[in-house]
């Protein structure tokens, strides 16, 4: 007779350490692998012959050491593998026992040098007797009162002829401690293993019998409780027949459906849920879930709407009362109301516009939404989207989850109490994408006029008409908004305020509000125009008015303290510039342009940021005996670095025209620095400023202190257009700049500037770098 040769195995295998788990030969075992060392071991096995060495780990160490691992384990083959969350799930088949002679740990995984420990087949009368005993115990366990063991176990056991395999299969199925399983695996005697399995089955039978007694006693108690429940139900039915019982909850709910005047589809869904509710006992967990769902249906204003104020002139008057300037936005709202008025005369329906206010902080984007709602006579609701990273925040959770709720859209409609509110999505540029989904993608349906008439919340699963809602989003910048979401919105830019704008806003809105908040009256305190201008110029430097209001509040607070602590009534106080130091201390900002550009190689540029415009000083310096290098510092981005290189190349190419030597880099290094070094900077608009600073350093000539500039430079010296002209001009004016050099192609943007700004400053359109230098570095000393 020919027998199969014993299977051979590699002497070195990847090792997986198991906590509280023992795998046996001749069995299949599912394993959840999550530790990096174990995941790498599985990956290595899959890349080679799918073989692993698995052994039990002593202790709970997250990073097991070789001494923590038992030496006797099992060589297994990976049969199935699937990724799951942070790890993987595998099904392995135990092939043979093995001993780990050497366990080594590398940087990524554990490896073991193994020696197989095959177990010979044994057959004798004593073994047969124990096998028969084990089968009897299995029958007894299955027939026990508790019935805890699976019935399929009988078929599985009777189909196994090999006593060793029977031992390992039962050991993997029975509730045995991991340390006892390890002893069973390490034991070389089949008879001793059968004795251990028989003892475990005896414990299982005793446990099942005890559980059966407990369940019998519990069923008797439950039967008594059911009897009392049926008696109470019969008593309730008798009371209802006599007219003495309570009104059923289902009838109350049906009455609410009728009173709510729900749409037909919503009413049908509500009635269906009420019928389901009637068939349930109040003790059922699903009963309360359906009850909560019905409450949400009743709370949503399906057909409730407010009457719009369709008088455009009256609406404009309300907007002017709340906000100064912002004519573009006011005109857009007036246009919407005018169109709605004409459509209403023809029984037409106009969809609500979807606007996006983009501007620096403090210019009134959020408060403008409240003003628009008041002007249109609509309800106002606001959702802050800053930091939202879960798609369910917008669409809600499905009702299968415990504690599920509708999304913020539905919750806000409930809060508004009308189907046509002004809906503000604040800070839409601050939305984050998390592993729960992309909230911006969920907003695509909400903000699409072609789709939002049938918005579907995951919790309600009912079409909700949002076409009457006026959506207003606010943002500080457009770059971080999803492109598809940006395409659905009408962008309206809000620029920063000029000094005159801030003076009007302070006198008309901020001062009266601060006086009221601090318990003062206009008869007790007022500000002179010069005092407000001083606060604007030397105590705040911002595009909006938030910090200005804070400083006005600080002055009002100190005056309120004087009034409250005075024994006699104080005369009316008019705050003048001379008193500002006493109230607010030393000025916070100084005009430093003349100081910063007092030396050659420094030019004044302007930049656009999320907070509005700002002035930056670009410095250039020649370093003798250098290595012909261009050194760029100040945390410059790639685009700004390329602009600096383009400026240097043009200056070298046009050196004679610009009055400098083309060989300035032959014996020198050129260092260009843009303070502040801790703030990252990027963009092409500083190109002409860097070129001017470099020419200033090469000529050893100061740049005019009252000149600021912006524009992208090309290799041929052309000045290309840039964005944010209004914010940049206002920032330059706040720093005392009188002459502003801008690209000639941006000349049309000057129409957006306030009249007082255009009258106070000189604007020089530039087509080439020579035009810029003629203004910033007049009458160069040619050499």
């Amino acid at each position: 007779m020919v027998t199969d040769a014993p299977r051979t195995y590699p002497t070195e295998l990847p090792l997986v350490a198991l906590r509280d788990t023992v795998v046996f030969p001749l069995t299949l075992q599912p394993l959840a692998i999550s530790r990096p060392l174990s995941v790498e071991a599985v990956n290595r096995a899959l890349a080679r012959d799918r073989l692993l060495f698995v052994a039990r780990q002593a202790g709970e160490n997250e990073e097991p050491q070789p001494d923590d691992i038992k030496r006797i384990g099992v060589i297994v083959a990976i049969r199935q593998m699937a990724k799951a969350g942070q790890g993987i799930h595998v099904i392995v088949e135990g092939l043979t026992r093995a001993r780990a002679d050497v366990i080594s740990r590398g940087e990524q995984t554990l490896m073991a040098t193994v020696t197989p420990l095959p177990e010979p087949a044994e057959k004798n009368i004593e073994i047969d007797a124990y096998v028969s005993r084990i089968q009897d115990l299995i029958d007894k366990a299955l027939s026990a009162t508790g019935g805890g063991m699976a019935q399929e176990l009988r078929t599985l056991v009777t189909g196994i002829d090999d006593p060793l395999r029977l031992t390992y299969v039962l050991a993997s199925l029975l509730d045995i401690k991991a340390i006892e399983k390890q002893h069973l695996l390490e034991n070389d005697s089949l008879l001793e293993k059968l004795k251990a399995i028989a003892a475990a089955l005896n414990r299982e039978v005793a446990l099942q019998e005890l559980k059966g007694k407990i369940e019998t006693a519990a069923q008797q108690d439950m039967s008594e409780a059911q009897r009392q429940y049926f008696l109470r139900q019969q008593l309730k039915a008798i009371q209802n027949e006599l007219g003495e019982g309570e009104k059923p909850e289902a009838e109350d709910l049906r009455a609410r459906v009728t009173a709510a005047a729900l749409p037909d589809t919503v009413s049908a869904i509500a009635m269906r849920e009420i019928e389901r509710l009637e068939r349930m006992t109040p003790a059922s967990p699903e009963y309360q879930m359906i009850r909560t769902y019905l409450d949400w249906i009743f709370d949503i204003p399906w057909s409730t709407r407010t009457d719009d104020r369709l008088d455009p002139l009256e609406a404009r008057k309300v907007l002017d009362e709340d906000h100064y300037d912002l004519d573009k936005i006011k005109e857009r709202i007036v246009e919407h109301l005018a169109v709605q008025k004409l459509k209403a005369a023809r029984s037409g329906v106009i969809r609500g516009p979807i606007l996006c206010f983009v501007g620096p902080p403090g210019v009134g984007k959020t408060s403008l939404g409240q003003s628009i709602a008041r002007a249109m006579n609509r309800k106002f609701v606001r959702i802050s989207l800053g930091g939202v990273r879960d798609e369910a925040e917008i669409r809600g959770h499905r009702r299968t989850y415990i504690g599920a709720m509708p999304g913020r859209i539905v919750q806000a409609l409930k809060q508004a109490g009308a189907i046509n509110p002004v809906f503000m999505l604040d800070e839409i540029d601050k939305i984050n994408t998390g592993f729960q989904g992309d909230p911006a993608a969920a907003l695509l349906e909400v903000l699409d006029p072609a789709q939002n008439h049938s918005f579907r919340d995951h919790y309600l699963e009912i079409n909700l008409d949002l076409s009457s809602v006026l959506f207003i989003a606010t943002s500080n910048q457009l770059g971080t908004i999803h492109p598809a979401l940006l395409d659905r919105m009408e962008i309206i830019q809000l620029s920063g305020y000029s000094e005159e704008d801030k003076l009007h806003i302070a006198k008309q809105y901020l001062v009266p509000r601060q006086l009221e908040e601090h318990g003062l009256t206009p008869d007790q305190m007022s500000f002179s125009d010069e005092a407000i201008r001083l606060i604007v110029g030397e105590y705040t430097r911002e595009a909006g008015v938030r910090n200005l209001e804070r400083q006005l509040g600080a002055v009002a607070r100190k005056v309120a303290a004087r009034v409250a602590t005075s024994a006699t009534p104080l005369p009316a106080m008019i705050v003048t510039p001379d008193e500002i130091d006493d109230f607010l201390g030393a000025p916070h900002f100084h005009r430093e342009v003349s100081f910063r550009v007092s030396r050659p190689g420094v030019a004044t540029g302007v930049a656009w940021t999320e907070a509005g415009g700002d002035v930056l000083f670009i410095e250039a310096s020649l370093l003798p005996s250098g290595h012909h290098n261009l050194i760029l510092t100040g945390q410059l981005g790639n685009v700004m670095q390329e602009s600096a290189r383009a400026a240097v190349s043009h200056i070298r190419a046009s050196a004679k025209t610009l009055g400098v030597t083309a060989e300035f880099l032959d014996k020198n290094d050129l260092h260009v620095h843009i303070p502040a070094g801790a703030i990252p900077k990027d963009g092409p608009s500083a190109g002409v400023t860097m070129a001017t600073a470099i020419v200033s350093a090469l000529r050893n000539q100061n740049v005019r202190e009252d000149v600021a500039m912006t524009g992208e430079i090309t290799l041929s010296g052309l000045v290309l257009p840039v964005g944010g002209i209004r914010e940049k001009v206002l920032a330059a004016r706040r720093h005392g700049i009188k002459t502003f050099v801008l690209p000639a192609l941006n000349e049309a943007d000057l129409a957006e500037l306030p009249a007082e700004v255009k009258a106070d400053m000189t604007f020089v359109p530039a087509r080439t770098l020579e035009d810029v230098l003629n203004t910033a570095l007049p009458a160069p000393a040619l050499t």
Side-chain angles (χ1 to χ4, degrees), residues 99 144 177 259 311 320 450 548 752:
R99 179 180 66 251
K177 294 180 179 179
D311 186 351
D320 288 337
L548 172 59
E752 298 181 3

Side-chain angles (χ1 to χ4, degrees), residues 296-620:
W296 273 106
I297 289 180
F298 296 142
D299 290 340
I300 295 173
W302 300 95
S303 54
T304 304
R305 62 175 58 240
T306 55
D307 296 328
D308 285 348
R309 180 186 281 118
L310 298 181
D311 186 351
L313 297 178
E314 184 64 25
R316 178 60 189 255
K317 181 180 177 182
V318 173
L319 290 171
D320 288 337
E321 289 176 358
D322 292 345
H323 287 82
Y324 176 78
D325 197 21
L326 305 178
D327 290 331
K328 280 187 179 180
I329 296 176
K330 294 175 181 178
E331 289 173 6
R332 180 64 184 86
I333 300 303
V334 169
E335 289 167 2
H336 171 70
L337 293 176
V339 173
Q340 194 169 9
K341 182 178 181 179
L342 296 178
K343 292 272 286 186
R346 296 175 176 83
S347 300
V349 177
I350 180 172
R351 291 173 177 168
I354 298 171
L355 309 177
C356 181
F357 299 161
V358 182
V363 296
K365 298 185 296 294
T366 304
S367 61
L368 188 59
Q370 297 173 320
S371 180
I372 290 172
R374 193 167 77 90
M376 298 178 68
N377 195 35
R378 288 193 179 190
K379 302 288 188 180
F380 176 79
V381 286
R382 172 184 166 272
I383 293 178
S384 179
L385 297 178
V388 171
R389 59 178 68 244
D390 188 355
E391 179 244 359
E393 292 272 359
I394 307 299
R395 285 188 168 276
H397 296 85
R398 300 192 184 277
R399 281 198 287 159
T400 51
Y401 297 107
I402 299 297
M405 290 182 65
R408 294 197 183 191
I409 302 295
V410 173
Q411 293 181 34
L413 285 178
K414 173 188 174 182
Q415 175 189 345
I419 200 65
N420 62 334
V422 172
F423 208 123
M424 174 153 283
L425 303 172
D426 215 3
E427 309 291 356
I428 198 170
D429 57 327
K430 308 299 191 302
I431 291 178
N432 294 321
T433 300
F435 63 87
Q436 301 97 334
D438 186 357
L443 283 173
L444 294 179
E445 180 185 3
V446 177
L447 299 182
D448 190 342
Q451 301 180 42
N452 64 8
H453 63 279
S454 57
F455 171 72
R456 204 168 181 88
D457 185 90
H458 285 161
Y459 180 82
L460 293 178
E461 287 296 337
I462 303 174
N463 288 344
L464 186 60
D465 187 2
L466 301 178
S467 60
S468 300
V469 177
L470 171 56
F471 286 102
I472 300 176
T474 70
S475 171
N476 295 131
Q477 59 177 332
L478 298 177
T480 57
I481 301 178
H482 195 290
L485 193 59
L486 199 61
D487 184 60
R488 285 161 164 78
M489 299 186 292
E490 179 180 342
I491 306 300
I492 298 179
Q493 294 281 352
L494 279 76
S495 300
Y497 295 116
S498 67
E499 183 175 318
E500 285 70 20
D501 292 338
K502 293 181 180 181
L503 175 62
H504 287 293
I505 292 171
K507 292 170 64 177
Q508 192 170 344
Y509 305 102
L510 304 184
V511 171
R513 186 160 63 211
Q514 288 302 316
L515 293 180
E516 182 179 353
E517 288 185 3
H518 292 86
L520 298 171
T521 65
D523 295 334
Q524 293 174 305
M525 176 188 176
S526 62
F527 287 84
S528 68
D529 291 358
E530 292 75 15
I532 295 176
R533 289 181 186 274
L534 180 64
I535 295 175
V536 169
E538 298 188 8
Y539 291 87
T540 66
R541 187 163 288 175
E542 57 181 344
V545 293
R546 192 168 287 154
N547 198 32
L548 172 59
E549 183 172 12
R550 194 175 294 119
Q551 298 298 332
L552 294 173
V555 176
R557 188 166 57 250
K558 294 183 182 300
V559 173
R562 291 184 184 181
V563 172
T565 56
S566 176
T568 60
L570 296 177
M573 175 175 289
I574 300 176
V575 179
T576 62
D578 296 335
E579 298 167 313
I580 295 298
D581 281 355
D582 296 335
F583 290 121
L584 300 179
H588 301 166
F589 302 98
H590 302 277
R591 292 184 175 177
E592 56 181 347
V593 176
S594 59
F595 169 72
R596 296 293 292 271
V597 299
S598 60
R599 299 192 177 193
V602 183
T604 306
V606 284
W608 179 91
T609 68
E610 290 183 32
D614 199 3
V615 166
L616 50 84
F617 301 96
I618 296 180
E619 303 172 347

Side-chain angles (χ1 to χ4, degrees), residues 692-768:
T692 302
I694 294 170
V695 173
S696 170
L698 295 176
R699 292 182 182 176
N700 197 29
Q701 179 185 359
N702 289 0
V703 177
R704 281 177 54 187
E705 66 180 35
D706 63 337
V707 174
M709 61 204 76
T710 186
E712 179 179 357
I713 192 170
T714 67
L715 280 176
S716 58
L718 297 179
V719 180
L720 300 185
V722 294
I725 293 297
R726 177 186 169 105
E727 287 79 6
K728 292 177 179 179
V729 170
L730 294 178
R733 186 167 182 256
R734 285 196 295 270
H735 285 76
I737 299 296
K738 294 299 182 182
T739 302
F740 191 87
V741 182
L742 74 162
L745 295 177
N746 280 119
E747 219 173 343
D749 295 332
L750 296 178
E752 298 181 3
L753 296 176
E756 63 272 9
V757 174
K758 290 189 282 188
D760 191 39
M761 297 179 69
T762 301
F763 298 95
V764 179
R767 296 184 179 275
T768 64

Side-chain angles (χ1 to χ4, degrees), residues 655-670:
K656 188 173 182 180
T657 305
L658 300 177
V660 299
T661 60
E663 297 79 16
F664 63 86
L665 275 181
D666 290 350
K667 297 182 180 180
N668 303 286
D669 287 343
L670 177 61

Side-chain angles (χ1 to χ4, degrees), residues 130-159 166 170 174 197-198 201-202 204-206 208-209:
Y130 266 103
V131 170
S132 177
R133 171 63 178 161
I134 287 173
Q135 290 176 340
D136 292 340
L137 287 171
I138 292 173
D139 291 339
K140 189 173 182 181
L142 291 172
S143 60
T145 307
M149 298 184 68
Q151 291 291 336
E152 291 83 359
L153 187 59
R154 188 197 307 271
T155 306
L156 177 65
V157 171
T158 53
L166 175 65
L170 289 173
L174 291 172
I197 294 298
L201 278 170
N202 269 323
E204 184 66 26
V205 169
Q208 296 301 327
E209 291 175 349

Side-chain angles (χ1 to χ4, degrees), residues 236-248:
K236 186 183 295 185
I238 294 171
Q239 289 175 336
N240 289 336
E241 288 295 327
L242 295 174
E244 299 174 356
E246 296 181 359
K247 192 173 184 181

